Amino acid sequence: MFGYRVPAPDEAMLISGGRRGQGGAPFRVVTGHGKFVLPVFRKTRFLTLAMCEAEVAEKCVTKQGIILTVRAVIAFKVGNDTESIVNAGQRFLSDQDQMSVLTGRIFAGHLRAIIGSMTVEEIITERQKLATEVLDTSKTEMAKIGLIVDSLQIQSIDDGDTGYIAAMSAPHKAAIQRQAQIAQAQAAQAAAEAEQAAARKQAEYARQTAVVQAEYSAEVDRVQAQSSQAGPLAEAHAQQEVLAARTELAQRAADLRQQQLVAEIVKPAEAEAERIRVLALAEAERMRIQAEAAASHGRVALDRMLIDQLPQIVKEAASGLSGANVNVLNGADGLGEIAAGLVGQGLTILDSVRRNLGSPDGGAEKSGGTGGGKVEIR
């Protein structure tokens, strides 16, 4: 539409001519929307509201009298309110580049004033404090010309050829270098220890590998040796079992032969010896009885008859033993027991006959005169 003007989003449209603006300003301020402007009768100009930048490189003298070159960057813009736009428009509308020049000069003055009240150590260690103080002292002056500062950054501080900052930082540099050397030495030591540990692990692994290989080789050799010896060992075991069986058979044959010899030779010999011993005992008993009979006048004839018959009785009993197959369990003691039994039986028979002949209860009688006796068996 003819005569209708619209400012950009980062611009303020200033319309002069006609009635005055806010606060008696010689123009009206339009932002964010369009406005119909009569040509010839009204004049339209535009003021930037975008962010601007100003650089400062100023030589300042510190509280200690040391000259420092300080470089800083200021980010600023025209305020968004109508009053700031009017103030900035009245000062910079015809030459808006002057905003950066004037802002730099303003901050350079405040920077010199604040650095003059600080030491080098404070400036170096407290840059943010320096920037904050410069901003605070310049806000009022910047607001008068319609500008606001978003940030102030101290880029560098240089003392030229004086070497004060370098001397001040020397102890720190030495400490840092010392720490760096220590760290480097520790790193080198750690690397050496790591290499040694890696070498030890490799050596241990090689040793374990060699041990495992040796054990495997030994196991293989052992299995092969066992396999090669399996046949001869089996044959030797078989021969050993055959020899053991033969030995057992021979032992059984020897035991059987021994039993046969005992039955055929030893036992008959023992029986014959026992028979002879029994006869000797009987003969001794006969002699004893004869002696007793000689002492007894009443039964001399009978005792002699019995004595004469006793060896025959024992002999008959012993002759029965000579042809008998007697199993004696306890050797010579057993044969002695058998012979003693036979003699005892003969003696028992003899004693029984005596009692029957001599005792009153046995049926013996005495008859005749005083000169002799007669014995009768009922």
Side-chain angles (χ1 to χ4, degrees), residues 239-311:
Q239 292 178 358
Q240 185 177 2
E241 291 178 357
V242 170
L243 290 176
R246 289 179 180 177
T247 302
E248 184 179 0
L249 182 61
Q251 184 64 36
R252 290 182 180 178
D255 294 341
L256 180 61
R257 181 57 182 166
Q258 182 179 7
Q259 293 177 1
Q260 290 178 354
L261 291 175
V262 170
E264 293 175 359
I265 298 174
V266 176
K267 289 183 178 179
E270 290 177 349
E272 180 64 20
E274 187 63 24
R275 185 182 67 82
I276 294 171
R277 191 176 68 83
V278 169
L279 289 176
L281 291 174
E283 182 64 22
E285 185 65 19
R286 184 181 66 81
M287 296 298 293
R288 186 183 65 78
I289 293 173
Q290 286 179 353
E292 291 179 355
S296 177
H297 300 285
R299 294 181 295 173
V300 173
L302 181 59
D303 288 343
R304 183 171 297 276
M305 180 186 66
L306 291 175
I307 289 170
D308 293 338
Q309 293 297 323
L310 181 58

Side-chain angles (χ1 to χ4, degrees), residues 52-56 72-76 103-104 107 142 149 151-153:
C52 298
E53 182 180 286
E55 294 184 359
V56 176
V73 176
I74 304 101
F76 67 95
T103 300
F107 273 87
M142 293 290 288
V149 179
S151 66
L152 170 63
Q153 296 294 329

